[in-house]
Amino acid sequence: MKKYEFTDETVECDGVVLHRIVALRGFGDVEKGDLGGFVESEANLSHEGSCWVYDNARVYGNARVYGNAQVFGGARVFDDARIYGNARVFGDAWVFGDALVSGNAQVSDDAQVFGDALVYGNAWVFGDAQVCSGEHDKGE
Protein backbone atom coordinates (compact mmCIF):
# COMPACT_ATOMS: atom_id res chain seq x y z
CA MET A 1 0.00 0.00 0.00
CA LYS A 2 1.38 3.39 -0.98
CA LYS A 3 2.17 5.74 1.88
CA TYR A 4 2.43 8.95 -0.16
CA GLU A 5 1.53 10.59 -3.44
CA PHE A 6 2.63 13.71 -5.29
CA THR A 7 0.89 17.03 -4.79
CA ASP A 8 0.61 19.64 -7.54
CA GLU A 9 3.44 21.64 -5.96
CA THR A 10 6.77 21.37 -7.77
CA VAL A 11 10.20 22.98 -7.62
CA GLU A 12 13.12 22.85 -10.00
CA CYS A 13 16.45 21.72 -8.59
CA ASP A 14 19.58 21.31 -10.72
CA GLY A 15 17.39 21.30 -13.83
CA VAL A 16 15.14 18.53 -12.47
CA VAL A 17 11.45 18.91 -11.55
CA LEU A 18 10.73 17.68 -8.02
CA HIS A 19 7.29 17.01 -6.56
CA ARG A 20 6.13 17.70 -3.00
CA ILE A 21 4.71 14.59 -1.34
CA VAL A 22 1.72 14.11 0.96
CA ALA A 23 1.17 11.17 3.31
CA LEU A 24 -1.71 8.84 2.42
CA ARG A 25 -1.56 7.06 5.78
CA GLY A 26 0.04 7.42 9.17
CA PHE A 27 3.39 5.79 10.04
CA GLY A 28 6.21 6.66 12.44
CA ASP A 29 5.76 10.34 13.35
CA VAL A 30 3.94 11.12 10.09
CA GLU A 31 0.16 11.47 10.06
CA LYS A 32 -2.16 11.05 7.10
CA GLY A 33 -2.30 14.34 5.20
CA ASP A 34 1.12 15.60 6.35
CA LEU A 35 3.06 17.35 3.63
CA GLY A 36 6.57 16.09 3.05
CA GLY A 37 9.54 17.35 1.12
CA PHE A 38 10.33 16.99 -2.56
CA VAL A 39 11.28 13.94 -4.63
CA GLU A 40 11.84 13.45 -8.33
CA SER A 41 10.15 10.05 -8.55
CA GLU A 42 8.68 7.28 -6.42
CA ALA A 43 11.99 5.44 -6.84
CA ASN A 44 13.56 8.04 -4.51
CA LEU A 45 11.48 7.21 -1.41
CA SER A 46 10.34 3.75 -0.40
CA HIS A 47 6.69 3.11 0.41
CA GLU A 48 7.84 0.58 3.03
CA GLY A 49 9.16 1.28 6.52
CA SER A 50 8.77 4.66 8.19
CA CYS A 51 11.28 6.53 6.02
CA TRP A 52 10.22 10.05 5.06
CA VAL A 53 11.38 13.24 3.38
CA TYR A 54 10.23 16.25 5.42
CA ASP A 55 10.12 20.03 5.14
CA ASN A 56 11.90 21.37 2.06
CA ALA A 57 14.39 18.51 1.80
CA ARG A 58 15.04 17.24 -1.73
CA VAL A 59 15.83 13.75 -2.98
CA TYR A 60 16.46 13.20 -6.68
CA GLY A 61 18.50 11.50 -9.36
CA ASN A 62 19.04 7.82 -8.55
CA ALA A 63 19.17 8.52 -4.80
CA ARG A 64 17.10 6.32 -2.50
CA VAL A 65 15.75 6.77 1.03
CA TYR A 66 14.41 3.64 2.69
CA GLY A 67 14.08 1.72 5.94
CA ASN A 68 13.37 4.17 8.76
CA ALA A 69 15.64 6.93 7.44
CA GLN A 70 14.68 10.60 7.61
CA VAL A 71 15.73 13.52 5.41
CA PHE A 72 14.57 16.94 6.53
CA GLY A 73 15.23 20.66 6.78
CA GLY A 74 16.94 21.91 3.62
CA ALA A 75 18.97 18.73 3.09
CA ARG A 76 19.65 17.33 -0.37
CA VAL A 77 20.26 13.71 -1.33
CA PHE A 78 21.07 13.06 -4.98
CA ASP A 79 23.11 11.18 -7.59
CA ASP A 80 23.31 7.53 -6.47
CA ALA A 81 23.35 8.17 -2.71
CA ARG A 82 21.56 5.82 -0.31
CA ILE A 83 20.10 6.75 3.09
CA TYR A 84 18.71 3.85 5.11
CA GLY A 85 18.41 2.18 8.49
CA ASN A 86 17.63 4.82 11.11
CA ALA A 87 19.92 7.40 9.48
CA ARG A 88 19.04 11.10 9.48
CA VAL A 89 20.19 13.81 7.07
CA PHE A 90 19.13 17.32 8.00
CA GLY A 91 19.98 21.00 8.18
CA ASP A 92 21.51 22.03 4.86
CA ALA A 93 23.57 18.84 4.54
CA TRP A 94 24.19 17.22 1.17
CA VAL A 95 24.73 13.52 0.50
CA PHE A 96 25.62 12.68 -3.09
CA GLY A 97 27.75 10.64 -5.44
CA ASP A 98 27.75 6.98 -4.40
CA ALA A 99 27.72 7.82 -0.68
CA LEU A 100 25.90 5.63 1.83
CA VAL A 101 24.54 6.80 5.20
CA SER A 102 23.08 4.06 7.37
CA GLY A 103 22.57 2.68 10.86
CA ASN A 104 21.97 5.47 13.39
CA ALA A 105 24.30 7.88 11.58
CA GLN A 106 23.46 11.58 11.29
CA VAL A 107 24.63 14.14 8.75
CA SER A 108 23.66 17.70 9.61
CA ASP A 109 24.34 21.42 9.36
CA ASP A 110 26.31 22.21 6.17
CA ALA A 111 28.15 18.88 6.08
CA GLN A 112 28.70 17.01 2.82
CA VAL A 113 29.13 13.28 2.33
CA PHE A 114 30.11 12.26 -1.19
CA GLY A 115 32.17 10.08 -3.47
CA ASP A 116 32.17 6.49 -2.25
CA ALA A 117 32.00 7.53 1.41
CA LEU A 118 30.30 5.33 4.00
CA VAL A 119 28.87 6.87 7.17
CA TYR A 120 27.29 4.31 9.47
CA GLY A 121 26.83 3.06 13.01
CA ASN A 122 26.41 5.95 15.44
CA ALA A 123 28.59 8.37 13.44
CA TRP A 124 27.65 12.03 13.34
CA VAL A 125 28.97 14.33 10.60
CA PHE A 126 28.16 17.98 11.22
CA GLY A 127 29.24 21.59 10.88
CA ASP A 128 31.12 22.25 7.64
CA ALA A 129 32.66 18.76 7.58
CA GLN A 130 33.23 16.92 4.32
CA VAL A 131 33.50 13.15 4.19
CA CYS A 132 34.55 11.66 0.89
CA SER A 133 36.27 8.64 -0.60
CA GLY A 134 37.57 7.51 -3.94
CA GLU A 135 39.09 10.02 -6.35
CA HIS A 136 38.09 12.95 -4.14
CA ASP A 137 40.29 11.92 -1.21
CA LYS A 138 43.47 13.03 -3.00
CA GLY A 139 42.24 16.50 -3.84
CA GLU A 140 41.50 15.59 -7.44
Side-chain angles (χ1 to χ4, degrees):
M1 180 171 149
K2 288 187 173 189
K3 68 180 177 186
Y4 67 89
E5 66 183 4
F6 296 155
T7 68
D8 291 334
E9 184 180 356
T10 62
V11 295
E12 188 173 320
C13 183
D14 294 333
V16 177
V17 175
L18 308 181
H19 310 270
R20 185 173 295 277
I21 56 175
V22 61
L24 295 175
R25 59 182 169 88
F27 55 90
D29 65 351
V30 176
E31 296 182 16
K32 181 179 179 179
D34 282 356
L35 289 176
F38 294 89
V39 300
E40 179 180 359
S41 77
E42 287 190 20
N44 298 128
L45 177 64
S46 176
H47 285 281
E48 298 182 17
S50 61
C51 57
W52 192 240
V53 177
Y54 299 80
D55 308 321
N56 287 311
R58 299 169 183 201
V59 180
Y60 55 100
N62 292 319
R64 286 197 30 89
V65 176
Y66 53 100
N68 298 318
Q70 299 178 338
V71 180
F72 54 100
R76 289 188 185 187
V77 178
F78 56 101
D79 291 337
D80 294 311
R82 300 288 184 261
I83 313 299
Y84 59 99
N86 295 313
R88 296 168 33 134
V89 178
F90 57 101
D92 290 317
W94 285 19
V95 179
F96 59 101
D98 291 317
L100 302 176
V101 179
S102 67
N104 294 313
Q106 297 186 53
V107 180
S108 67
D109 302 327
D110 292 312
Q112 294 185 3
V113 177
F114 58 97
D116 295 322
L118 306 174
V119 177
Y120 58 94
N122 293 314
W124 188 10
V125 180
F126 61 96
D128 293 324
Q130 292 187 344
V131 177
C132 62
S133 178
E135 65 187 44
H136 301 285
D137 63 2
K138 296 179 182 166
E140 297 177 6

